[in-house]
Amino acid sequence: MGSSASSESESSRPSSRNIPSPRSQAPSRRERSTFKEVQLNQRDSQLGNPSGGETMATQSHSGSEQTDQSNISPQRSNTQQQGGSQPQIRITRQESQSRWQGAYQQYQYPQGYYHNSGQRYGQGGQYGGMYGVTQAAVGHQQQQQRLQYKEDDIVFETFYHVNGQALTCMYKNGQRYVLDSWQTQTWQPFPMQWYNQGTLVTNSVVKSDQPVQNEASSSNNTTTAGTSIDDREGKIAHPKRGKLHTYLFEEKRNVHCYYDTNSGTWMKMPVHWELYSPLVRQMVATIKDDCPEWKNEHDIIATLRACNYKPDDAIATFLAWDEIFDQSAGGTSDINIILEKDENIATLEKKRDVLCVQLSKSFEDLESERKQKQILESRVHELQEQLSSMEVEARTATVALEALQNQRPKTARPKTARPKTPQVEYRTEYIEIEKDTVDPALVEDTATATKDLHKSFLMLKRETQQHLQDLGKMLTQVVTSVMSLKTADSGQSKELQEIKELYRRETMQRKLLYNKLQELKGNIRVFCRCRYDNRVDCSHNFPSDQEVTPLGSKKPFSFDRVFTPQATQAEIFEDTLPIITSCVDGYNVCIMAYGQTGSGKTHTMMGPKNDPGVNIRSIEELLRICSEREKVQYKLEASMVEIYNETIQDLLSPTPTTLELRAQGNKINLPNLTKKLVESKDDIQKIMDMGDKNRSVASTKMNSTSSRSHLLFMISLEGRDKVSGAVSNGTLTLCDLAGSERIAKTEATGQRLVEAAAINKSLSALGQVFAALKSNQLHVPYRNSKLTHLLQPSLGGDAKACLFVNISPAESNVTESVSTLQFGSGAKQISLGQAKQNVKKAPLKSKNSNIGPANWDLDQL
Ligand SMILES: Nc1ncnc2c1ncn2[C@@H]1O[C@H](COP(=O)(O)OP(=O)(O)OP(=O)(O)O)[C@@H](O)[C@H]1O
């Protein structure tokens, strides 16, 4: 390590003591993974976390020598010692190896089950640690398993076979069964040989009081599994140090490292070295293009590091900083800034309106000038015609006069030959002719007419000349005013453009601030509602409007809001309002209700017709906001599906239709899903009624009841900004989940057991998703059930969610209520991260397109 760099990188240097030496200068993937392992192990030991079975299994798999502890068998895990409700068993090293080998193979190949972004997340066991799930793995442990479950308990499990299949199992009356398929719905005895061919995981909903272990096992396995992540690998040419091998490590300290051949370790790269990396340079250039005011390249790189080298995120952070600095400088709150922005927008809008009025007035003036010019032109034309006809008349008269003169007899002579004007001469000659040969009266008349004609000719000539002069002046004036209008117009267009741009920026910043505010409140908000029931007294206490203490508990459960049995539907809806606004701005939003049967989920979501619940109110609110935003054109489409026994039914299709789920990356599709346009309140009710009708038909056909299936009402909302042309796509998913009660008694048989298995699978999968999000797992197991898979876009890191946990007031239901509250409490600790807006910029318009017809008019002139 050179002296120049050592001081800079000293503080940021990873603990290199434990990092194994590389075999060659270019470090292998295995070395990188070992580096991660060591780091994670250090982190775990710092946290006092022995890492349970997971880390041991991973180490065993990756060939590390630290598996000795795993020989303690069987032993209660840390989880259990800390009061987690699910026991966890430690297993022997051999067991561990055979188990994890199977599990590892399973995640290598089949179905892409736990495959995400080119990385593999191994080991069903990771869920054991994370979700308080029991590892019931090997044959001779079956006895041990039996001891853990109560005799009359029914326990649902998932068996991950080495061939990649995940099967639903059930432990009942001391026997284990496997579900043949969701179609046949028959339970077969669990084959004995399978105990050595895979992993059994008990499905249970995450409990908030269970410690969540870190993602060491999954991350460790990521690289050892042999997936390619080499796009994070590179080289830099340092002016003094020459060529250096670099790598972007993926742990949360996601920073560029370089391989230091002197020390034989990976070192954290000083910020300014990153400028030598073409990859980083490119990112910096992109950011500088987008934010020209952001000049400090070191700042940019530091932000990039913090944002996992995602330029978009770095830009968003920069904009957010801007706001924060503004805020601290001015000492104003986010709300004040929003209000200020609103004011600015309003002022800009006013200014724009004034400019528009001015512009249209200018065009009106221009139009009237043009008309005047046309009138003048036609007048000139008329005059010219008149003039030319008069000239013709004058010529004719002259000719006639000449002819008359010629007709005069040679003898006739004038009495006196006075040198006078031609008229006088004519007159004299007239007299002569009159006297000698021609009718004197005729001559007199002709002379008078000629005289008059001449006079009017002269007058007309003068008048025409005058008119022409006036016209010339007017034309000059028109040309001048047209020219000035043209100049003013281009100035105004430019101003208008600037105002438009400012308006767009202000609107974006307002949205950004609004979302920041939401993020501060949490992108997942959890509300608890206790049902009103006049048959029983409420057994819970409500110390505050954010806390509930169920009967028998000492400590209250905290939520974003707790609603007592007296809370009205309108009050319930109030707190979901902000999240609805987000949907209009192009976010994926999900509102769902969880709780045991009869706890009031449907009442909360749907509600009676005379006092509707969140569903109708949300859509009405959406319609209201959409109608208020005149500058954006919205299109709302609704669809309704039901998930029963892991099958998805389309409830708006005229004939009962089962839908297949298709996934493309993070996008989830339901081909052939029926969508209905929503334009008014009436449409909502009609759609709801239709869905309800089809649901009861489907329920009868499937022999299900509403509480046995999940109901999802999905609204897709497309908004097109008429000013900026940007298109936003938001979705609102309203989900009434199936009853969460436990099937704990042996009376449950047949169809009910299959339904219970399906509900248990999907709700525990939902718990797993929440738990993975809570502990910021790289992999979130959305695909573990149809419900979570379908909800993926609404539950991911770029969405906003709202969960209602519904509890019964009755003392008899207190166990279920506590379980529900634990589920909600677990979900409350999730931070979904920064929600992402689905907005596409408008395509660039042609240079002059904004002034359109006005320009055309000007060109015509
Ligand atoms: N807050 C409340 N005020 C008045 N009645 C309520 C309230 N909550 C629920 N109820 C009534 O309790 C009964 C059961 O409620 P609901 O059907 O909403 O429960 P659920 O949790 O959706 O049950 P399931 O899981 O079976 O669908 C209904 O008759 C409903 O009208």
Side-chain angles (χ1 to χ4, degrees):
M1 185 81 189
S3 58
S4 64
S6 62
S7 61
E8 290 166 274
S9 58
E10 206 61 55
S11 60
S12 56
R13 185 179 294 176
S15 312
S16 52
R17 277 175 296 129
N18 300 315
I19 302 170
S21 301
R23 282 184 297 276
S24 65
Q25 183 172 347
S28 67
R29 187 178 293 125
R30 184 180 163 75
E31 282 151 1
R32 290 195 299 271
S33 91
T34 319
F35 169 66
K36 286 183 203 176
E37 266 174 34
V38 172
Q39 280 201 315
L40 290 163
N41 290 338
Q42 283 171 343
R43 194 171 66 194
D44 292 345
S45 61
Q46 277 161 14
L47 293 166
N49 182 357
S51 297
E54 258 88 88
T55 314
M56 286 183 290
T58 311
Q59 288 160 348
S60 150
H61 173 73
S62 62
S64 164
E65 288 309 310
Q66 300 178 31
T67 52
D68 297 348
Q69 300 165 49
S70 63
N71 287 324
I72 313 158
S73 165
Q75 184 184 333
R76 292 260 160 160
S77 71
N78 196 32
T79 310
Q80 197 183 4
Q81 284 160 12
Q82 288 184 16
S85 62
Q86 295 289 342
Q88 182 152 350
I89 304 160
R90 285 198 175 181
I91 54 171
T92 62
R93 184 174 179 170
Q94 289 79 4
E95 286 162 1
S96 158
Q97 273 170 349
S98 75
R99 169 142 56 105
W100 294 115
Q101 235 150 22
Y104 171 64
Q105 283 164 19
Q106 169 198 335
Y107 294 107
Q108 278 271 5
Y109 309 108
Q111 293 178 359
Y113 221 77
Y114 295 108
H115 186 271
N116 189 13
S117 313
Q119 297 176 12
R120 297 184 196 282
Y121 304 89
Q123 306 169 350
Q126 70 176 298
Y127 303 117
M130 278 182 271
Y131 311 121
V133 166
T134 305
Q135 291 295 343
V138 282
H140 63 268
Q141 281 186 325
Q142 199 187 4
Q143 188 60 32
Q144 173 79 22
Q145 285 287 317
R146 270 191 209 123
L147 295 176
Q148 290 167 23
Y149 303 141
K150 281 190 212 143
E151 264 314 299
D152 61 350
D153 261 359
I154 296 172
V155 182
F156 293 108
E157 301 160 322
T158 304
F159 176 67
Y160 296 100
H161 194 280
V162 288
N163 68 11
Q165 272 183 293
L167 297 145
T168 299
C169 298
M170 173 179 61
Y171 186 82
K172 184 184 175 192
N173 294 339
Q175 291 300 318
R176 182 162 283 118
Y177 303 89
V178 57
L179 185 68
D180 206 22
S181 74
W182 293 110
Q183 276 73 40
T184 60
Q185 302 186 359
T186 49
W187 296 95
Q188 307 286 352
F190 188 83
M192 284 304 284
Q193 68 273 19
W194 280 12
Y195 283 109
N196 289 322
Q197 292 176 10
T199 310
L200 266 166
V201 176
T202 303
N203 297 340
S204 82
V205 170
V206 68
K207 302 276 193 281
S208 64
D209 53 352
Q210 286 166 354
V212 176
Q213 294 188 10
N214 62 52
E215 73 279 20
S217 56
S218 64
S219 313
N220 280 349
N221 220 32
T222 305
T223 39
T224 27
T227 51
S228 171
I229 46 172
D230 287 350
D231 56 338
R232 301 178 85 84
E233 206 168 344
K235 280 194 169 63
I236 62 165
H238 191 275
K240 288 181 187 162
R241 298 175 141 252
K243 271 204 168 165
L244 295 168
H245 201 97
T246 67
Y247 191 75
L248 275 168
F249 281 92
E250 285 202 295
E251 305 310 330
K252 281 179 194 143
R253 50 181 295 291
N254 194 358
V255 292
H256 232 133
C257 288
Y258 74 97
Y259 192 71
D260 183 54
T261 42
N262 294 340
S263 61
T265 49
W266 284 102
M267 308 297 282
K268 199 167 175 178
M269 200 187 289
V271 169
H272 69 267
W273 286 23
E274 294 209 33
L275 284 171
Y276 303 126
S277 157
L279 178 74
V280 178
R281 270 233 74 87
Q282 202 184 341
M283 290 181 192
V284 171
T286 313
I287 290 172
K288 281 170 89 178
D289 272 354
D290 284 353
C291 305
E293 64 274 34
W294 197 6
K295 294 199 170 59
N296 190 325
E297 294 188 330
H298 287 191
D299 260 11
I300 297 177
I301 295 170
T303 316
L304 271 172
R305 280 186 173 191
C307 297
N308 255 359
Y309 292 89
K310 288 177 187 157
D312 282 354
D313 289 5
I315 291 169
T317 311
F318 173 69
L319 290 175
W321 278 349
D322 249 359
E323 295 301 330
I324 290 162
F325 291 144
D326 284 349
Q327 184 186 336
S328 56
T332 49
S333 69
D334 277 352
I335 292 168
N336 284 340
I337 296 171
I338 292 174
L339 290 175
E340 214 174 279
K341 298 272 170 226
D342 280 345
E343 255 174 45
N344 284 350
I345 289 174
T347 321
L348 284 169
E349 278 177 348
K350 264 188 205 156
K351 210 170 165 188
R352 189 200 57 193
D353 290 346
V354 169
L355 276 170
C356 283
V357 170
Q358 277 178 2
L359 202 67
S360 65
K361 200 167 171 300
S362 300
F363 284 126
E364 271 170 23
D365 289 352
L366 197 66
E367 186 61 22
S368 71
E369 296 263 6
R370 205 160 60 87
K371 276 184 188 155
Q372 217 175 331
K373 183 194 154 210
Q374 270 177 357
I375 294 165
L376 282 170
E377 274 177 348
S378 62
R379 178 83 184 117
V380 167
H381 189 70
E382 263 173 36
L383 285 170
Q384 274 174 345
E385 272 181 359
Q386 230 175 320
L387 189 67
S388 56
S389 73
M390 281 179 142
E391 276 174 349
V392 170
E393 269 179 50
R395 263 199 301 275
T396 322
T398 313
V399 170
L401 201 65
E402 275 172 6
L404 280 174
Q405 271 182 338
N406 289 342
Q407 280 174 18
R408 197 176 58 173
K410 302 251 176 17
T411 50
R413 274 185 174 73
K415 274 184 180 171
T416 49
R418 283 178 291 175
K420 281 188 180 172
T421 54
Q423 290 96 329
V424 177
E425 274 175 25
Y426 291 155
R427 192 172 165 75
T428 316
E429 282 165 14
Y430 237 134
I431 294 159
E432 291 300 321
I433 291 163
E434 189 183 283
K435 278 181 182 168
D436 296 341
T437 56
V438 188
D439 180 10
L442 179 69
V443 174
E444 189 67 26
D445 284 351
T446 313
T448 317
T450 311
K451 202 176 161 190
D452 290 347
L453 202 65
H454 192 69
K455 261 187 197 168
S456 72
F457 168 72
L458 288 176
M459 220 168 70
L460 210 65
K461 201 173 173 182
R462 265 201 308 277
E463 205 178 313
T464 309
Q465 276 169 350
Q466 187 60 43
H467 272 303
L468 278 172
Q469 266 179 11
D470 290 351
L471 201 69
K473 274 182 198 164
M474 282 176 91
L475 268 174
T476 321
Q477 271 178 7
V478 168
V479 170
T480 319
S481 62
V482 166
M483 290 307 286
S484 64
L485 270 174
K486 217 170 179 173
T487 322
D489 172 60
S490 65
Q492 280 177 353
S493 303
K494 218 171 149 191
E495 209 173 330
L496 207 66
Q497 278 292 87
E498 279 168 17
I499 287 172
K500 266 187 183 178
E501 183 54 27
L502 256 168
Y503 169 78
R504 198 182 63 80
R505 280 183 68 119
E506 290 283 343
T507 318
M508 286 299 280
Q509 283 185 358
R510 184 185 154 275
K511 280 180 190 167
L512 211 84
L513 281 165
Y514 180 78
N515 286 310
K516 213 169 70 191
L517 222 105
Q518 280 301 304
E519 273 155 33
L520 290 175
K521 288 182 181 175
N523 275 334
I524 178 154
R525 313 206 69 207
V526 184
F527 305 122
C528 169
R529 184 184 197 182
C530 182
R531 186 203 142 162
Y532 173 77
D533 193 342
N534 55 9
R535 296 165 301 176
V536 290
D537 286 334
C538 183
S539 56
H540 314 300
N541 273 325
F542 302 93
S544 73
D545 64 359
Q546 291 190 312
E547 289 174 313
V548 53
T549 315
L551 184 74
S553 294
K554 285 189 188 121
K555 257 180 77 183
F557 287 87
S558 301
F559 298 100
D560 291 296
R561 184 81 197 268
V562 172
F563 297 100
T564 63
Q566 282 70 37
T568 61
Q569 297 282 72
E571 283 168 354
I572 300 285
F573 180 64
E574 250 171 41
D575 281 55
T576 54
L577 255 180
I579 216 169
I580 307 280
T581 317
S582 303
C583 174
V584 187
D585 289 335
Y587 289 88
N588 291 334
V589 170
C590 176
I591 303 173
M592 61 183 124
Y594 177 97
Q596 77 178 109
T597 295
S599 58
K601 299 184 295 294
T602 312
H603 186 83
T604 302
M605 295 306 288
M606 187 61 86
K609 276 198 176 151
N610 58 354
D611 192 12
V614 173
N615 286 5
I616 304 257
R617 286 171 197 261
S618 311
I619 305 167
E620 279 180 4
E621 182 62 19
L622 278 186
L623 285 171
R624 194 191 62 75
I625 301 173
C626 293
S627 68
E628 258 182 13
R629 296 191 182 177
E630 285 163 4
K631 289 177 193 72
V632 188
Q633 194 177 355
Y634 286 101
K635 184 181 164 196
L636 256 88
E637 283 183 321
S639 39
M640 207 170 176
V641 297
E642 177 182 42
I643 305 176
Y644 174 68
N645 278 358
E646 289 297 277
T647 52
I648 305 172
Q649 303 289 329
D650 188 348
L651 293 182
L652 296 186
S653 149
T655 51
T657 314
T658 303
L659 299 169
E660 285 305 317
L661 215 150
R662 299 258 180 283
Q664 284 176 329
N666 281 343
K667 281 197 173 161
I668 305 297
N669 273 329
L670 283 175
N672 304 324
L673 172 72
T674 313
K675 288 183 177 175
K676 301 270 178 196
L677 201 67
V678 184
E679 283 170 335
S680 66
K681 286 181 188 177
D682 291 346
D683 292 343
I684 313 168
Q685 200 53 58
K686 271 185 215 152
I687 291 167
M688 297 265 181
D689 289 347
M690 187 178 174
D692 247 14
K693 203 175 103 204
N694 287 346
R695 193 181 191 194
S696 55
V697 171
S699 297
T700 321
K701 196 168 157 263
M702 295 182 300
N703 196 21
S704 73
T705 63
S706 66
S707 62
R708 306 284 89 205
S709 63
H710 309 295
L711 178 74
L712 279 86
F713 194 76
M714 298 174 287
I715 306 287
S716 63
L717 198 146
E718 187 191 272
R720 198 172 287 271
D721 194 312
K722 291 177 196 164
V723 180
S724 66
V727 179
S728 66
N729 284 294
T731 61
L732 173 66
T733 308
L734 301 155
C735 181
D736 184 359
L737 294 169
S740 66
E741 60 280 355
R742 283 152 54 98
I743 300 277
K745 302 286 175 219
T746 42
E747 296 95 70
T749 50
Q751 171 92 4
R752 191 131 167 75
L753 268 182
V754 179
E755 283 170 353
I759 295 168
N760 180 276
K761 180 183 160 103
S762 51
L763 292 183
S764 65
L766 186 64
Q768 288 164 4
V769 165
F770 282 160
L773 291 170
K774 180 166 97 179
S775 53
N776 265 330
Q777 295 288 309
L778 286 173
H779 169 63
V780 182
Y782 292 110
R783 287 163 181 257
N784 277 5
S785 76
K786 288 273 165 47
L787 173 73
T788 46
H789 203 178
L790 191 56
L791 288 179
Q792 179 173 354
S794 312
L795 289 180
D798 55 0
K800 298 183 177 201
C802 174
L803 173 72
F804 280 98
V805 286
N806 290 80
I807 53 169
S808 153
E811 191 180 337
S812 55
N813 288 325
V814 83
T815 318
E816 284 303 338
S817 298
V818 169
S819 162
T820 302
L821 292 170
Q822 282 174 335
F823 182 90
S825 197
K828 199 182 159 281
Q829 292 163 34
I830 299 168
S831 91
L832 284 187
Q834 193 181 12
K836 202 172 79 190
Q837 200 178 13
N838 308 316
V839 178
K840 280 186 207 136
K841 276 187 189 168
L844 278 176
K845 285 185 181 171
S846 67
K847 207 174 154 195
N848 293 325
S849 60
N850 285 310
I851 36 178
N855 246 13
W856 185 85
D857 271 348
L858 290 171
D859 290 343
Q860 295 297 305
L861 282 168

